[in-house]
Amino acid sequence: MDIEAIASKFSIKVKGIKPLRGVYMAYTDKGIKIIKESKKDPEKLLYIHGMKEYIYRRGFHNLDRFLISDQGLPFVTDEGRIFIMEDFISGRECSFSNPYDRSAAMRTLAQLHIYGQGYITPTGAAERNDIGKWENNYIKRINNMLDYKKAVTQKKDKDEFDKMFMEDVDFFIEMGWRAYDTLKSSRYKMLCKAAEALRPICHHDYTYHNIIMGKQGRVDIIDFDYSCHELSCYDVAAVIQRVMRRFSFDIDIAMDMLTDYDMVKPITDDELLLTLSLSEFPQRFWRITERYYSGKREWSKKKFIKKYHETVDDKAFMMDFVNDFRNIIT
């Protein structure tokens, strides 16, 4: 990979390069830039670029925009590979252990959702639209767990992972059905119907390393690779779950986060019920077992076991959390 050649296609001259977590920090004649390879197809990059530019034009400037190449595109190709370039955003990663950071992150997420509403996919871009898919996803993943249980039951020689899985799988299958029942009792389909006109967006990977805390209270959001059209409560539930795992599912912290979000973008009772449903669904358990049993074993068996323990050891706290959450919102 020739970083200087890539930068030249953006009419930028590189003076120095520093590798940084899978990307390159380039010191250039036009300031510090980030250069990274993208595995996305050009059509998907156009969708992400269009979304970010739409949000920026509407007044939300706290995000990483793609620079435009000499060919008028938000990417360049080099030796058959696709690369993007962005301005470097200075600051530190968000710390979910810091109450100030959590509050600022939730308020900034609410702003992103407000400014992102109404985004229409440009011609030539490949839209990613996850609205209306929850019910099918729940059923598919519950069936995955049932299939894995059947397969492991039939194994004569069970390994350590198998034995742990068999101890826990019934609990998480039950949680999956509970989440499904909550979803079916909600007005999810009505909200999805309304979303056809509102066209809400989600970041879909709103985690600490994609939230940059800058000077004077500025918060920037980066890495929109997984962004899509989706109900905004998906992002809300996902970030709360990430924080909850650090604090033994402390319901008070979760309610504070919802309050911070609600101060900027009011969250409805319908959205709270959907947030509960997403919190009930055992997404992490499904993911770790799906990776193990589908052959996607990019980790060693030792690491799989470690990740498994991280997933299941707090299941009692998770159950208390969803019960408390339900009592508060219903």
Side-chain angles (χ1 to χ4, degrees):
M1 160 191 331
D2 189 337
I3 296 297
E4 292 186 359
I6 293 168
S8 70
K9 296 180 181 181
F10 292 91
S11 296
I12 290 175
K13 183 177 180 180
V14 174
K15 299 179 179 179
I17 303 169
K18 178 182 177 182
L20 180 69
R21 188 186 273 179
V23 305
Y24 290 91
M25 180 184 293
Y27 300 89
T28 79
D29 60 335
K30 296 181 181 178
I32 304 175
K33 309 295 180 185
I34 294 294
I35 299 174
K36 63 180 178 181
E37 183 177 2
S38 175
K39 301 299 183 182
K40 300 288 186 185
D41 295 333
E43 294 80 8
K44 292 180 180 177
L45 284 175
L46 290 173
Y47 173 79
I48 296 168
H49 171 66
M51 177 186 291
K52 292 199 285 189
E53 290 303 299
Y54 173 80
I55 294 168
Y56 187 89
R57 288 194 304 270
R58 295 196 71 203
F60 184 86
H61 297 168
N62 303 40
L63 75 173
D64 58 342
R65 300 167 71 196
F66 294 153
L67 300 185
I68 303 300
S69 74
D70 296 341
Q71 299 298 314
L73 295 170
F75 58 85
V76 298
T77 57
D78 184 73
E79 298 180 353
R81 299 156 71 185
I82 297 175
F83 295 87
I84 60 171
M85 180 178 274
E86 303 165 337
D87 288 326
F88 173 71
I89 296 176
S90 63
R92 60 175 175 81
E93 292 180 344
C94 175
S95 171
F96 286 151
S97 298
N98 183 329
Y100 170 82
D101 284 13
R102 291 198 303 268
S103 177
M106 293 306 292
R107 286 184 274 111
T108 304
L109 178 63
Q111 292 175 336
L112 174 69
H113 288 160
I114 290 171
Y115 285 97
Q117 280 189 346
Y119 171 54
I120 297 175
T121 306
T123 301
E127 179 174 272
R128 180 181 177 186
N129 190 339
D130 283 359
I131 296 170
K133 296 181 178 181
W134 295 12
E135 185 173 333
N136 287 339
N137 285 342
Y138 281 13
I139 292 296
K140 178 182 177 181
R141 291 166 188 178
I142 292 169
N143 284 334
N144 284 158
M145 291 187 284
L146 288 167
D147 289 342
Y148 301 146
K149 177 185 176 182
K150 181 179 179 180
V152 174
T153 299
Q154 294 172 349
K155 287 177 68 173
K156 291 183 179 180
D157 298 318
K158 297 178 176 58
D159 62 21
E160 184 178 354
F161 193 96
D162 294 333
K163 293 173 184 177
M164 295 189 304
F165 171 78
M166 291 303 293
E167 289 180 3
D168 297 306
V169 64
D170 287 339
F171 171 86
F172 288 105
I173 289 173
E174 182 180 346
M175 288 300 298
W177 284 122
R178 177 171 171 165
Y180 180 79
D181 289 343
T182 300
L183 180 65
K184 293 292 285 183
S185 69
S186 74
R187 298 202 290 176
Y188 175 65
K189 291 185 177 180
M190 187 197 76
L191 266 64
C192 290
K193 183 68 176 177
E196 294 177 8
L198 294 174
R199 299 189 64 79
I201 60 98
C202 270
H203 182 275
H204 235 256
D205 192 22
Y206 198 68
T207 190
Y208 71 97
H209 55 77
N210 291 331
I211 307 166
I212 305 300
M213 314 302 293
K215 295 180 180 179
Q216 298 178 335
R218 182 183 176 92
V219 181
D220 283 285
I221 304 173
I222 64 172
D223 197 352
F224 283 71
D225 281 1
Y226 301 100
S227 57
C228 61
H229 282 90
E230 173 62 289
L231 301 184
S232 56
C233 55
Y234 180 95
D235 272 348
V236 174
V239 69
I240 287 176
Q241 286 299 297
R242 289 187 176 103
V243 174
M244 289 299 94
R245 293 196 294 268
R246 295 168 180 261
F247 294 98
S248 300
F249 288 83
D250 187 324
I251 189 65
D252 292 331
I253 292 176
M255 298 314 297
D256 286 344
M257 293 174 69
L258 286 168
T259 297
D260 284 317
Y261 183 94
D262 183 74
M263 288 173 62
V264 178
K265 183 179 184 294
I267 187 165
T268 67
D269 290 343
D270 290 324
E271 290 172 319
L272 286 173
L273 191 59
L274 293 179
T275 300
L276 170 62
S277 175
L278 288 168
S279 299
E280 289 174 328
F281 195 85
Q283 178 71 10
R284 291 184 77 211
F285 182 83
W286 167 80
R287 184 184 293 117
I288 188 71
T289 54
E290 191 269 341
R291 284 180 178 175
Y292 190 81
Y293 290 118
S294 66
K296 301 175 185 177
R297 301 190 184 188
E298 67 272 30
W299 298 329
S300 66
K301 186 166 289 188
K302 183 178 179 180
K303 187 171 183 180
F304 264 110
I305 291 172
K306 179 177 181 292
K307 291 286 187 181
Y308 184 91
H309 280 302
E310 291 174 357
T311 300
V312 305
D313 285 353
D314 57 9
K315 65 182 183 181
F317 295 114
M318 183 181 74
M319 180 63 77
D320 289 341
F321 171 79
V322 294
N323 287 337
D324 289 343
F325 195 3
R326 180 178 293 276
N327 290 334
I328 290 170
I329 69 172
T330 58

